[in-house]
Coordinates of all heavy atoms in Angstrom, one line a residue:
M181 N 31.2 -42.2 5.1 CA 30.0 -42.3 5.9 C 29.6 -41.0 6.6 O 28.5 -40.7 6.6 CB 30.2 -43.5 6.9 CG 29.0 -43.7 7.8 SD 27.7 -44.4 6.8 CE 26.5 -44.8 8.0
T182 N 30.7 -40.3 7.0 CA 30.4 -39.0 7.7 C 29.9 -38.0 6.6 O 29.1 -37.1 7.0 CB 31.6 -38.4 8.4 OG1 32.7 -38.4 7.4 CG2 32.0 -39.2 9.6
R183 N 30.3 -38.1 5.4 CA 29.8 -37.2 4.4 C 28.3 -37.4 4.2 O 27.6 -36.5 4.1 CB 30.5 -37.5 3.1 CG 30.0 -36.6 1.9 CD 30.6 -36.9 0.6 NE 31.8 -36.0 0.5 CZ 32.6 -36.0 -0.5 NH1 32.4 -36.9 -1.5 NH2 33.6 -35.2 -0.6
F184 N 27.9 -38.7 4.2 CA 26.5 -39.0 4.0 C 25.7 -38.4 5.2 O 24.6 -37.9 5.1 CB 26.2 -40.5 3.9 CG 24.8 -40.9 3.8 CD1 24.1 -40.7 2.6 CD2 24.1 -41.4 4.9 CE1 22.8 -41.0 2.5 CE2 22.8 -41.7 4.8 CZ 22.1 -41.5 3.6
A185 N 26.2 -38.5 6.4 CA 25.6 -38.1 7.6 C 25.4 -36.6 7.6 O 24.4 -36.0 8.1 CB 26.4 -38.5 8.8
L186 N 26.2 -35.9 6.9 CA 26.1 -34.4 6.7 C 25.2 -34.0 5.6 O 24.5 -33.0 5.7 CB 27.5 -33.8 6.5 CG 28.5 -33.9 7.7 CD1 29.9 -33.4 7.3 CD2 28.0 -33.2 8.9
V187 N 25.2 -34.7 4.5 CA 24.4 -34.4 3.3 C 22.9 -34.8 3.5 O 22.1 -34.1 3.0 CB 25.1 -35.0 2.1 CG1 24.2 -34.7 0.8 CG2 26.5 -34.4 1.9
A188 N 22.7 -35.9 4.1 CA 21.3 -36.4 4.2 C 20.3 -35.4 4.8 O 19.2 -35.2 4.3 CB 21.3 -37.7 4.9
P189 N 20.7 -34.8 6.0 CA 19.8 -33.8 6.5 C 19.5 -32.6 5.6 O 18.4 -32.1 5.6 CB 20.5 -33.4 7.8 CG 21.4 -34.5 8.2 CD 21.8 -35.0 6.8
L190 N 20.5 -32.2 4.8 CA 20.2 -31.1 3.9 C 19.2 -31.5 2.8 O 18.4 -30.7 2.4 CB 21.6 -30.7 3.2 CG 22.6 -30.1 4.2 CD1 23.9 -29.8 3.4 CD2 22.0 -28.8 4.8
G191 N 19.3 -32.8 2.4 CA 18.3 -33.2 1.4 C 16.9 -33.2 2.0 O 15.9 -32.9 1.3
L192 N 16.8 -33.7 3.2 CA 15.4 -33.7 3.8 C 14.9 -32.3 4.0 O 13.7 -32.0 3.9 CB 15.5 -34.4 5.2 CG 15.7 -35.9 5.1 CD1 15.9 -36.5 6.5 CD2 14.6 -36.6 4.3
L193 N 15.8 -31.4 4.4 CA 15.4 -30.0 4.5 C 14.9 -29.4 3.2 O 13.9 -28.6 3.2 CB 16.6 -29.2 5.1 CG 16.3 -27.7 5.4 CD1 15.3 -27.6 6.5 CD2 17.6 -27.0 5.8
A194 N 15.6 -29.7 2.1 CA 15.2 -29.2 0.8 C 13.8 -29.7 0.4 O 13.0 -29.0 -0.1 CB 16.2 -29.6 -0.2
L195 N 13.5 -31.0 0.7 CA 12.2 -31.6 0.4 C 11.1 -30.9 1.3 O 10.0 -30.7 0.8 CB 12.2 -33.1 0.7 CG 13.0 -33.9 -0.4 CD1 13.0 -35.4 0.0 CD2 12.4 -33.7 -1.7
A196 N 11.4 -30.6 2.5 CA 10.5 -30.0 3.4 C 10.1 -28.6 2.9 O 9.0 -28.1 3.1 CB 11.0 -30.0 4.8
A197 N 11.0 -27.9 2.3 CA 10.8 -26.6 1.8 C 9.8 -26.6 0.6 O 9.1 -25.6 0.4 CB 12.1 -25.9 1.4
C198 N 9.6 -27.7 0.0 CA 8.7 -27.8 -1.2 C 7.3 -28.2 -0.8 O 6.4 -28.3 -1.6 CB 9.3 -28.8 -2.2 SG 10.8 -28.3 -2.9
A199 N 7.1 -28.6 0.5 CA 5.8 -29.0 0.9 C 4.8 -27.9 0.9 O 5.1 -26.7 1.2 CB 5.9 -29.6 2.4
P200 N 3.5 -28.1 0.5 CA 2.5 -27.1 0.5 C 2.2 -26.6 1.9 O 2.3 -27.3 2.9 CB 1.3 -27.8 -0.1 CG 1.5 -29.2 0.1 CD 3.0 -29.4 0.1
M201 N 1.9 -25.3 2.0 CA 1.6 -24.7 3.3 C 0.1 -24.5 3.4 O -0.6 -24.3 2.4 CB 2.3 -23.3 3.4 CG 3.8 -23.4 3.4 SD 4.6 -21.9 3.4 CE 3.9 -21.0 4.7
E202 N -0.5 -24.5 4.5 CA -1.9 -24.3 4.8 C -2.2 -22.8 5.0 O -1.4 -22.1 5.5 CB -2.3 -25.1 6.1 CG -2.2 -26.6 6.0 CD -3.2 -27.1 5.0 OE1 -4.3 -26.6 4.9 OE2 -2.8 -28.1 4.2
G203 N -3.3 -22.4 4.4 CA -3.7 -21.0 4.7 C -3.0 -20.0 3.8 O -2.0 -20.3 3.2
A204 N -3.5 -18.8 3.7 CA -2.9 -17.8 2.9 C -2.0 -17.0 3.7 O -2.3 -16.5 4.8 CB -4.0 -16.9 2.3
G205 N -0.8 -16.8 3.3 CA 0.2 -16.0 3.9 C 0.6 -14.9 3.0 O 0.1 -14.7 1.9
P206 N 1.7 -14.2 3.4 CA 2.2 -13.1 2.5 C 2.6 -13.7 1.1 O 3.2 -14.7 1.0 CB 3.4 -12.6 3.2 CG 3.2 -13.0 4.6 CD 2.4 -14.3 4.6
G207 N 2.1 -13.0 0.1 CA 2.4 -13.5 -1.3 C 1.6 -14.6 -1.8 O 1.7 -15.0 -2.9
M208 N 0.6 -15.1 -1.0 CA -0.3 -16.2 -1.4 C -1.6 -15.6 -1.9 O -2.0 -14.5 -1.4 CB -0.4 -17.2 -0.3 CG 0.9 -17.9 0.0 SD 0.6 -19.2 1.1 CE -0.3 -20.4 0.1
P209 N -2.3 -16.2 -2.8 CA -3.6 -15.7 -3.3 C -4.6 -15.5 -2.1 O -4.7 -16.4 -1.3 CB -4.1 -16.8 -4.3 CG -2.9 -17.6 -4.6 CD -1.9 -17.5 -3.5
E210 N -5.3 -14.4 -2.2 CA -6.4 -14.2 -1.3 C -7.7 -14.9 -1.8 O -7.8 -14.9 -3.1 CB -6.7 -12.7 -1.1 CG -5.5 -12.0 -0.4 CD -5.8 -10.5 -0.2 OE1 -7.0 -10.1 -0.4 OE2 -4.9 -9.8 0.0
T211 N -8.5 -15.3 -1.0 CA -9.8 -15.9 -1.5 C -10.9 -15.0 -1.1 O -10.8 -14.3 -0.1 CB -10.0 -17.3 -0.9 OG1 -9.9 -17.2 0.5 CG2 -8.9 -18.3 -1.4
G212 N -12.0 -15.1 -1.8 CA -13.2 -14.4 -1.4 C -13.2 -13.0 -2.0 O -14.1 -12.2 -1.6
G213 N -12.3 -12.6 -2.9 CA -12.4 -11.3 -3.5 C -13.6 -11.1 -4.4 O -14.1 -12.1 -4.9
S214 N -14.0 -9.9 -4.5 CA -15.1 -9.6 -5.4 C -14.6 -9.0 -6.7 O -14.3 -7.8 -6.7 CB -16.2 -8.7 -4.7 OG -15.6 -7.5 -4.3
C215 N -14.5 -9.7 -7.7 CA -14.0 -9.3 -9.0 C -15.2 -8.9 -9.9 O -15.9 -9.8 -10.2 CB -13.1 -10.4 -9.6 SG -12.6 -10.0 -11.3
P216 N -15.3 -7.7 -10.3 CA -16.4 -7.3 -11.2 C -16.1 -7.5 -12.7 O -16.5 -6.7 -13.5 CB -16.6 -5.8 -10.9 CG -15.2 -5.4 -10.6 CD -14.5 -6.5 -9.9
A217 N -15.5 -8.7 -13.0 CA -15.2 -8.9 -14.4 C -16.5 -9.0 -15.3 O -16.4 -8.5 -16.5 CB -14.5 -10.2 -14.6
A218 N -17.6 -9.4 -14.8 CA -18.8 -9.5 -15.6 C -19.2 -8.1 -16.1 O -19.8 -8.0 -17.2 CB -19.9 -10.2 -14.8
K219 N -18.9 -7.1 -15.3 CA -19.3 -5.7 -15.7 C -18.6 -5.3 -17.0 O -19.1 -4.5 -17.7 CB -18.9 -4.8 -14.5 CG -19.1 -3.4 -14.7 CD -18.8 -2.6 -13.4 CE -17.8 -1.5 -13.6 NZ -17.5 -0.8 -12.4
Y220 N -17.4 -5.9 -17.2 CA -16.6 -5.5 -18.4 C -16.7 -6.4 -19.6 O -16.2 -6.2 -20.6 CB -15.1 -5.4 -18.0 CG -14.9 -4.2 -17.0 CD1 -14.8 -4.4 -15.7 CD2 -14.8 -2.9 -17.5 CE1 -14.6 -3.4 -14.8 CE2 -14.7 -1.8 -16.6 CZ -14.6 -2.1 -15.3 OH -14.4 -1.0 -14.4
Q221 N -17.5 -7.5 -19.4 CA -17.7 -8.5 -20.6 C -18.3 -7.8 -21.8 O -17.9 -8.2 -22.9 CB -18.5 -9.7 -20.1 CG -17.8 -10.6 -19.2 CD -16.5 -11.2 -19.8 OE1 -16.4 -11.5 -20.9 NE2 -15.6 -11.4 -18.9
P222 N -19.2 -6.8 -21.7 CA -19.7 -6.2 -22.9 C -18.6 -5.4 -23.7 O -18.9 -5.1 -24.9 CB -20.7 -5.2 -22.4 CG -21.1 -5.7 -21.0 CD -19.9 -6.4 -20.5
Y223 N -17.5 -5.2 -23.2 CA -16.4 -4.5 -23.9 C -15.6 -5.4 -24.7 O -14.7 -4.9 -25.5 CB -15.6 -3.7 -22.9 CG -16.3 -2.5 -22.3 CD1 -17.0 -2.7 -21.1 CD2 -16.5 -1.3 -22.9 CE1 -17.7 -1.7 -20.5 CE2 -17.2 -0.3 -22.4 CZ -17.9 -0.5 -21.2 OH -18.6 0.5 -20.6
V224 N -15.7 -6.7 -24.6 CA -15.0 -7.7 -25.4 C -15.4 -7.5 -26.9 O -16.6 -7.4 -27.1 CB -15.2 -9.1 -25.0 CG1 -14.6 -10.1 -25.9 CG2 -14.7 -9.3 -23.5
G225 N -14.4 -7.3 -27.7 CA -14.7 -7.0 -29.1 C -14.8 -5.5 -29.5 O -14.9 -5.2 -30.6
R226 N -14.7 -4.7 -28.5 CA -14.7 -3.2 -28.7 C -13.3 -2.7 -28.4 O -12.4 -3.3 -27.8 CB -15.7 -2.6 -27.7 CG -17.1 -3.0 -28.0 CD -18.1 -2.6 -27.0 NE -18.2 -1.1 -26.9 CZ -18.9 -0.5 -26.0 NH1 -19.6 -1.1 -25.2 NH2 -18.9 0.8 -26.0
N227 N -13.1 -1.4 -28.9 CA -11.8 -0.8 -28.7 C -11.5 -0.5 -27.2 O -12.5 -0.1 -26.5 CB -11.7 0.5 -29.5 CG -10.3 1.1 -29.6 OD1 -9.7 1.5 -28.6 ND2 -9.8 1.1 -30.8
Q228 N -10.3 -0.7 -26.7 CA -10.0 -0.6 -25.3 C -10.2 0.9 -24.9 O -10.4 1.1 -23.7 CB -8.6 -1.1 -25.0 CG -7.5 -0.4 -25.7 CD -6.8 0.6 -24.8 OE1 -7.1 0.7 -23.6 NE2 -5.9 1.3 -25.4
S229 N -10.2 1.8 -25.8 CA -10.3 3.2 -25.4 C -11.8 3.5 -25.0 O -12.0 4.6 -24.4 CB -9.9 4.1 -26.6 OG -10.8 4.0 -27.7
T230 N -12.7 2.6 -25.2 CA -14.1 2.8 -24.8 C -14.4 2.4 -23.4 O -15.5 2.6 -22.9 CB -15.1 2.0 -25.8 OG1 -14.8 0.6 -25.6 CG2 -14.9 2.5 -27.2
L231 N -13.4 1.8 -22.7 CA -13.5 1.4 -21.3 C -13.7 2.6 -20.5 O -13.1 3.6 -20.6 CB -12.3 0.6 -20.8 CG -12.0 -0.7 -21.4 CD1 -10.6 -1.2 -21.0 CD2 -13.1 -1.7 -20.9
P232 N -14.7 2.5 -19.5 CA -14.9 3.7 -18.6 C -13.8 3.7 -17.6 O -13.0 2.7 -17.4 CB -16.2 3.3 -18.0 CG -16.3 1.8 -18.0 CD -15.6 1.4 -19.3
A233 N -13.6 4.8 -16.9 CA -12.6 4.9 -15.9 C -13.0 4.0 -14.8 O -14.2 3.6 -14.5 CB -12.6 6.4 -15.3
A234 N -12.0 3.4 -14.1 CA -12.2 2.5 -13.0 C -12.9 3.2 -11.9 O -12.6 4.4 -11.6 CB -10.8 2.0 -12.5
A235 N -13.8 2.5 -11.3 CA -14.6 3.0 -10.1 C -13.6 3.2 -8.9 O -12.6 2.5 -8.8 CB -15.7 2.1 -9.7
P236 N -13.9 4.1 -8.0 CA -13.0 4.3 -6.9 C -12.9 3.0 -6.1 O -13.9 2.3 -5.8 CB -13.8 5.4 -6.1 CG -14.6 6.1 -7.0 CD -15.0 5.1 -8.1
G237 N -11.7 2.7 -5.8 CA -11.4 1.4 -5.0 C -11.3 0.2 -5.9 O -11.0 -0.9 -5.4
E238 N -11.7 0.3 -7.2 CA -11.6 -0.9 -8.0 C -10.2 -1.1 -8.5 O -9.5 -0.2 -8.9 CB -12.5 -0.6 -9.2 CG -12.6 -1.8 -10.2 CD -13.6 -1.5 -11.3 OE1 -13.2 -0.9 -12.3 OE2 -14.7 -1.9 -11.2
V239 N -9.8 -2.4 -8.5 CA -8.4 -2.7 -8.9 C -8.6 -3.3 -10.3 O -9.2 -4.3 -10.5 CB -7.8 -3.8 -8.0 CG1 -6.4 -4.1 -8.4 CG2 -7.8 -3.3 -6.6
R240 N -8.0 -2.6 -11.3 CA -8.1 -3.0 -12.7 C -6.8 -2.9 -13.4 O -6.1 -1.9 -13.2 CB -9.2 -2.1 -13.4 CG -9.5 -2.6 -14.8 CD -10.6 -1.8 -15.4 NE -10.2 -0.5 -15.8 CZ -11.0 0.4 -16.3 NH1 -12.3 0.1 -16.5 NH2 -10.6 1.6 -16.6
R241 N -6.5 -3.8 -14.2 CA -5.3 -3.8 -15.0 C -5.6 -4.0 -16.5 O -6.2 -5.0 -16.9 CB -4.4 -5.0 -14.5 CG -3.1 -5.1 -15.3 CD -2.1 -6.0 -14.6 NE -2.5 -7.4 -14.4 CZ -1.8 -8.3 -13.8 NH1 -0.6 -8.0 -13.4 NH2 -2.3 -9.5 -13.7
V242 N -5.3 -3.0 -17.3 CA -5.6 -3.0 -18.7 C -4.2 -3.2 -19.4 O -3.3 -2.3 -19.3 CB -6.3 -1.7 -19.2 CG1 -6.5 -1.8 -20.7 CG2 -7.6 -1.5 -18.4
V243 N -4.0 -4.3 -20.1 CA -2.7 -4.7 -20.7 C -2.9 -5.2 -22.1 O -4.0 -5.8 -22.4 CB -1.9 -5.7 -19.8 CG1 -1.6 -5.1 -18.5 CG2 -2.7 -6.9 -19.6
C244 N -1.9 -5.1 -22.9 CA -1.9 -5.7 -24.2 C -1.6 -7.2 -24.1 O -1.1 -7.6 -23.1 CB -1.0 -5.0 -25.2 SG 0.8 -5.2 -24.8
D245 N -1.9 -7.9 -25.2 CA -1.8 -9.3 -25.2 C -0.3 -9.8 -25.2 O 0.0 -10.9 -25.0 CB -2.6 -10.0 -26.3 CG -2.2 -9.5 -27.7 OD1 -1.4 -8.5 -27.8 OD2 -2.7 -10.0 -28.7
T246 N 0.6 -8.9 -25.6 CA 2.0 -9.2 -25.6 C 2.8 -8.5 -24.5 O 4.0 -8.6 -24.5 CB 2.6 -8.8 -27.0 OG1 2.5 -7.4 -27.2 CG2 2.0 -9.6 -28.1
C247 N 2.2 -7.8 -23.7 CA 2.8 -7.0 -22.6 C 3.2 -7.9 -21.5 O 2.5 -8.9 -21.2 CB 1.9 -5.9 -22.1 SG 1.6 -4.6 -23.2
A248 N 4.3 -7.6 -20.8 CA 4.8 -8.3 -19.6 C 4.0 -7.9 -18.4 O 3.7 -6.7 -18.3 CB 6.3 -8.1 -19.4
V249 N 3.5 -8.8 -17.6 CA 2.8 -8.5 -16.4 C 3.3 -9.3 -15.3 O 3.9 -10.4 -15.5 CB 1.2 -8.7 -16.5 CG1 0.7 -7.7 -17.6 CG2 0.9 -10.1 -16.9
T250 N 3.1 -8.9 -14.1 CA 3.5 -9.7 -12.9 C 2.5 -10.9 -12.8 O 1.4 -10.8 -13.2 CB 3.4 -8.8 -11.6 OG1 2.0 -8.4 -11.4 CG2 4.3 -7.7 -11.7
M251 N 3.0 -11.9 -12.2 CA 2.2 -13.1 -12.0 C 1.5 -13.2 -10.6 O 1.0 -14.2 -10.3 CB 3.1 -14.4 -12.2 CG 3.6 -14.5 -13.7 SD 2.4 -14.5 -14.9 CE 1.6 -16.1 -14.6
D252 N 1.5 -12.1 -9.9 CA 0.9 -12.1 -8.6 C -0.6 -12.2 -8.8 O -1.2 -11.8 -9.8 CB 1.2 -10.9 -7.8 CG 0.7 -9.6 -8.4 OD1 0.9 -9.5 -9.7 OD2 0.2 -8.8 -7.7
Y253 N -1.3 -12.9 -7.9 CA -2.7 -13.1 -8.0 C -3.5 -12.2 -7.0 O -3.1 -12.1 -5.8 CB -3.1 -14.5 -7.7 CG -4.5 -14.8 -7.8 CD1 -5.1 -15.1 -9.1 CD2 -5.4 -14.8 -6.7 CE1 -6.4 -15.4 -9.2 CE2 -6.7 -15.1 -6.9 CZ -7.3 -15.4 -8.1 OH -8.6 -15.6 -8.2
N254 N -4.5 -11.5 -7.5 CA -5.3 -10.6 -6.7 C -6.7 -11.0 -7.0 O -7.2 -10.7 -8.1 CB -5.0 -9.1 -6.9 CG -5.8 -8.2 -6.1 OD1 -6.8 -8.6 -5.5 ND2 -5.3 -7.0 -5.9
A255 N -7.4 -11.6 -6.1 CA -8.8 -12.1 -6.4 C -9.8 -11.0 -6.7 O -10.8 -11.2 -7.4 CB -9.3 -12.9 -5.2
S256 N -9.5 -9.8 -6.4 CA -10.4 -8.7 -6.6 C -10.0 -7.8 -7.8 O -10.7 -6.9 -8.2 CB -10.6 -7.8 -5.4 OG -9.3 -7.2 -5.1
R257 N -8.9 -8.2 -8.5 CA -8.5 -7.4 -9.7 C -9.1 -7.9 -11.0 O -9.2 -9.1 -11.2 CB -7.0 -7.5 -9.8 CG -6.4 -6.8 -11.0 CD -4.9 -6.8 -11.1 NE -4.4 -8.1 -11.0 CZ -3.2 -8.3 -10.4 NH1 -2.5 -7.4 -10.0 NH2 -2.7 -9.6 -10.4
V258 N -9.5 -7.0 -11.8 CA -10.0 -7.2 -13.1 C -8.9 -7.0 -14.1 O -8.2 -6.0 -14.1 CB -11.2 -6.3 -13.5 CG1 -11.6 -6.5 -15.0 CG2 -12.3 -6.4 -12.6
N259 N -8.6 -8.0 -15.0 CA -7.6 -7.9 -16.0 C -8.3 -7.8 -17.4 O -9.1 -8.6 -17.7 CB -6.7 -9.2 -16.1 CG -6.0 -9.4 -14.8 OD1 -5.2 -8.5 -14.4 ND2 -6.1 -10.5 -14.2
V260 N -8.1 -6.7 -18.1 CA -8.6 -6.5 -19.4 C -7.5 -6.6 -20.4 O -6.5 -5.8 -20.3 CB -9.3 -5.1 -19.5 CG1 -9.8 -4.9 -20.9 CG2 -10.3 -4.9 -18.4
I261 N -7.5 -7.6 -21.2 CA -6.5 -7.9 -22.2 C -6.9 -7.5 -23.6 O -8.0 -7.9 -24.0 CB -6.0 -9.4 -22.2 CG1 -5.5 -9.7 -20.8 CG2 -5.0 -9.6 -23.2 CD1 -6.4 -10.4 -19.9
F262 N -6.1 -6.6 -24.3 CA -6.5 -6.2 -25.6 C -5.4 -6.5 -26.6 O -4.2 -6.7 -26.2 CB -6.8 -4.7 -25.6 CG -5.6 -3.8 -25.3 CD1 -4.8 -3.3 -26.3 CD2 -5.3 -3.4 -24.0 CE1 -3.7 -2.5 -26.0 CE2 -4.2 -2.6 -23.7 CZ -3.4 -2.2 -24.7
D263 N -5.8 -6.6 -27.9 CA -4.8 -6.9 -29.0 C -3.9 -5.7 -29.2 O -4.4 -4.6 -29.3 CB -5.6 -7.2 -30.2 CG -4.7 -7.7 -31.4 OD1 -4.4 -8.9 -31.5 OD2 -4.3 -6.8 -32.1
T264 N -2.6 -6.0 -29.3 CA -1.6 -4.9 -29.5 C -1.8 -4.1 -30.8 O -1.7 -2.9 -30.8 CB -0.2 -5.5 -29.5 OG1 -0.1 -6.3 -28.3 CG2 0.8 -4.4 -29.5
E265 N -2.2 -4.8 -31.8 CA -2.3 -4.2 -33.2 C -3.6 -3.5 -33.4 O -3.6 -2.4 -34.0 CB -2.1 -5.2 -34.2 CG -0.7 -5.8 -34.3 CD -0.5 -6.9 -35.3 OE1 -1.4 -7.1 -36.2 OE2 0.6 -7.5 -35.3
T266 N -4.7 -4.0 -32.8 CA -6.0 -3.4 -33.1 C -6.6 -2.7 -32.0 O -7.6 -2.0 -32.1 CB -7.0 -4.6 -33.5 OG1 -7.1 -5.4 -32.4 CG2 -6.5 -5.3 -34.7
N267 N -6.0 -2.8 -30.8 CA -6.6 -2.2 -29.5 C -8.0 -2.8 -29.2 O -8.7 -2.1 -28.4 CB -6.6 -0.7 -29.6 CG -5.2 -0.1 -29.4 OD1 -4.3 -0.8 -28.9 ND2 -5.0 1.1 -29.9
I268 N -8.3 -3.9 -29.7 CA -9.6 -4.5 -29.4 C -9.5 -5.4 -28.2 O -8.6 -6.2 -28.1 CB -10.1 -5.4 -30.6 CG1 -10.3 -4.5 -31.9 CG2 -11.4 -6.1 -30.3 CD1 -11.3 -3.4 -31.8
V269 N -10.4 -5.3 -27.3 CA -10.4 -6.1 -26.0 C -10.7 -7.5 -26.4 O -11.7 -7.9 -27.1 CB -11.5 -5.6 -25.0 CG1 -11.6 -6.5 -23.8 CG2 -11.2 -4.2 -24.6
E270 N -9.8 -8.4 -26.0 CA -9.9 -9.8 -26.3 C -10.6 -10.6 -25.2 O -11.3 -11.5 -25.5 CB -8.5 -10.5 -26.6 CG -7.9 -9.9 -27.8 CD -6.5 -10.5 -28.1 OE1 -5.9 -11.0 -27.1 OE2 -6.1 -10.6 -29.2
K271 N -10.2 -10.3 -24.0 CA -10.8 -11.0 -22.9 C -10.7 -10.2 -21.6 O -9.9 -9.3 -21.4 CB -10.2 -12.4 -22.7 CG -8.8 -12.4 -22.3 CD -8.3 -13.9 -22.2 CE -6.8 -13.9 -22.0 NZ -6.3 -15.3 -21.8
V272 N -11.6 -10.6 -20.7 CA -11.7 -10.0 -19.3 C -11.6 -11.1 -18.3 O -12.4 -12.1 -18.4 CB -12.9 -9.1 -19.2 CG1 -13.0 -8.6 -17.8 CG2 -13.0 -8.1 -20.2
T273 N -10.7 -11.1 -17.4 CA -10.5 -12.1 -16.4 C -10.4 -11.5 -15.0 O -10.1 -10.3 -14.9 CB -9.3 -13.0 -16.7 OG1 -8.1 -12.2 -16.6 CG2 -9.4 -13.7 -18.0
C274 N -10.4 -12.4 -14.0 CA -10.1 -12.0 -12.6 C -8.7 -12.4 -12.3 O -8.3 -13.4 -12.8 CB -11.1 -12.6 -11.7 SG -12.8 -11.9 -11.9
G275 N -8.1 -11.8 -11.3 CA -6.8 -12.2 -10.8 C -5.9 -11.2 -11.0 O -4.8 -11.0 -10.6

């Protein structure tokens, strides 16, 4: 019985740690970012070398379709994904 009395609070604590939190905190996605992905849509189907230089202050990530990337979310970042073999831009997303 005393073992249960010691283990039960730990189980409740573990469940509480999984509960969703309100609001954005450190490491959580920001909302309301201005992602200029539409500006780069015309480059889909073209060689990634034709992309212009990023504008000052613009957050842009150009990566191949098989490259490892971090899973952090940045609402104002433009992700340009290109094919590893052909260097052709496949898609442009925000995040």
